[in-house]
Structure formats: C-alpha cells, structure tokens
Amino acid sequence: MPASGGGELSIRQLVLIPSYNSGEKLYDTVQASRSVWPEVWLVLDGSTDGSADTLAQAEGFRILKRERNGGKGAAVLDGLREAVVAGFTHVLVMDADGQHPADEISLFMALSAAYPQAMILGVPRFDADAPLLRVWGRRISNLLVRVLTDVQIQDALFGFRVYPASPLLHAMETSPHMRGYDFDAEAAVRLAWAGVTVVNQPASVRYFLKSEGGVSHFRYVIDNLRLATMFARLFAAWTRRQLRPSRH
C-alpha cells in the first residue's frame, strides 16, 4: 500500500451512481447508498424506463439528467465535472443495478481518506452465480492491464472504486475516450500512468437474474470488441511511452 497521507489533504467524498435504464434495482441501490453515506448523486444517462420516477432530490441527494445516452464514462464525466465545482475531492463510482455492495461504501471511503492520493479499486469476490465468460474475460483484461502499467491492479473492470477527482477529470478531459464501456479499464491505466497509486480492496458482487429484477446492458460481442480496440490503442500509447527518450 502507498504511504498514508491523510493528514495532508482536506477531503470531501461523494458517491456517484451513473444509471441507464437500471430497472427496479435503481431505487434499492440509491436508498442503500444514502443509508450509509450523506452525499450521493445519481446521473441518469438518457434513461427512458422510468426507473428514477420514484426518486426525488433531497438534502445530500442530487439527480443529474443527460438528454441522450452517452455511455457510463460520459455519465461519470458529467457528474465528475459538477462534483469538482462543488468542492468534492474524491468520488466513489458504483453501478446502479444492485451488483455493487452499498454496505461497503464506508470501508472504501475510509481507505480513500487514509490514502487520499490513491485510487481504491474494488476486487470482486465472485460466487457461483458469476457468468464464466465474464470471469475469464476479466482475467485476460487484468493481465493486459498489469503489462501496460507494471502496477498490481488486481481487477481492471470492476466498477466499484474511489477515484481522486481531479486526476480522473484531467485524464478524461484530455482524452476523447473513456466515455462508454471502456471507462473502467482505461481509467485505471491512465491514472496509473499519471502516477496515481493503487489500493486493492476485495468487495462482494452479485449478479441478479432477470426474474430478480436484474438488468444487464452488456453485449458479449460488441463490448468485447470495444475492449479489444481499447487495449490495442493503449498498447500503441504504451509503446510510444517506452520509446520516449529518458530525461535522466
């Protein structure tokens, strides 16, 4: 773990939940998050399913709305810009579909307070319900990310994370990428390249069946092609970094 620097930086932390047609689990996710953390924002990314109709803005809870669906990263970026203006220094990003553990928000925020210069990356504890194709796909992604960064990022794709807000905002605003499904992996790589340290923290994860209210927008062929394209682009950038003359 990186050296603690909690006394050197005044921090303010926000839970940020991007959502696109998340179904009935959205209400439960928001309520569970608000029960453990005082500042929670929801970004509706062009949702049309009415899943947020029963939610209303309140003290500590804000709803941001995007006119059109732009992807997870685009929703995070909109929320991140507003968060930095509002004075937040760190954002915990989590999915809206109930897969991520709201009851572990406080633990992740405590780690972020102890290591404010780091990104706190969730490492999923899979149970027997996890789809095998996803498990193997993320193992390959994890290996590629470790090659790209030479950093022990134990999971590149799990979206339950705390980011230092300003470095993430800078990385996103200086790149036309990280707007869709590629957000999680590329954010980890680019922040590692920028010198942001890593704290890996195990976290629970649950995949809900459709009969349980589960909603998945993951498309195996298209989204895996997008990941492959992202990694090809990152390896090209990594190669340029390796060939760059040393300043020493």
Side-chain angles (χ1 to χ4, degrees):
M1 278 190 178
S4 175
E8 301 174 1
L9 178 67
S10 176
I11 70 171
R12 187 179 172 204
Q13 300 162 307
L14 172 72
V15 173
L16 187 63
I17 305 174
S19 175
Y20 171 66
N21 290 351
S22 299
E24 64 187 60
K25 290 297 178 183
L26 174 61
Y27 180 87
D28 295 338
T29 299
V30 169
Q31 294 302 98
S33 301
R34 294 186 64 199
S35 72
V36 297
W37 200 255
E39 301 275 7
V40 177
W41 289 6
L42 171 66
V43 184
L44 296 176
D45 186 25
S47 291
T48 57
D49 68 346
S51 54
D53 288 353
T54 57
L55 296 168
Q57 297 198 130
E59 183 177 357
F61 178 59
R62 184 177 175 187
I63 301 175
L64 306 177
K65 296 182 179 180
R66 291 174 48 84
E67 293 268 335
R68 295 182 178 84
N69 175 246
K72 178 179 180 178
V76 169
L77 179 56
D78 277 10
L80 189 62
R81 285 170 172 154
E82 295 282 342
V84 169
V85 170
F88 290 99
T89 59
H90 295 74
V91 293
L92 183 151
V93 178
M94 64 184 293
D95 289 350
D97 57 7
Q99 291 186 13
H100 293 163
D103 58 351
E104 296 181 34
I105 287 173
S106 295
L107 170 60
F108 273 65
M109 292 302 205
L111 283 170
S112 179
Y115 305 99
Q117 308 299 337
M119 48 182 161
I120 314 301
L121 303 183
V123 182
R125 296 186 292 257
F126 289 114
D127 58 24
D129 295 329
L132 273 179
L133 281 174
R134 287 210 190 184
V135 173
W136 279 102
R138 72 194 313 126
R139 286 178 180 173
I140 295 170
S141 294
N142 294 342
L143 176 61
L144 294 174
V145 165
R146 287 171 199 161
V147 172
L148 284 166
T149 63
D150 197 26
V151 172
Q152 281 301 308
I153 294 172
Q154 293 181 13
D155 193 278
L157 300 179
F158 195 47
F160 190 76
R161 300 172 168 180
V162 187
Y163 295 99
S166 291
L168 179 59
L169 181 59
H170 177 74
M172 296 191 76
E173 289 193 326
T174 54
S175 169
H177 306 292
M178 291 183 281
R179 300 301 190 264
Y181 179 72
D182 58 353
F183 166 73
D184 295 306
E186 186 158 356
V189 170
R190 296 224 175 251
L191 289 183
W193 285 351
V196 176
T197 50
V198 172
V199 174
N200 296 292
Q201 174 60 38
S204 57
V205 60
R206 180 176 178 184
Y207 288 95
F208 290 95
L209 300 174
K210 188 174 182 179
S211 60
E212 298 173 302
V215 175
S216 176
H217 300 295
F218 181 75
R219 296 162 295 180
Y220 283 101
V221 175
I222 293 175
D223 288 331
N224 280 318
L225 282 173
R226 286 177 175 172
L227 280 180
T229 301
M230 177 203 70
F231 278 119
R233 176 166 40 76
L234 288 177
F235 267 101
W238 176 80
T239 301
R240 290 192 296 270
R241 288 169 60 87
Q242 301 304 307
L243 295 175
R244 189 178 303 161
S246 172
R247 296 181 180 180
H248 299 289

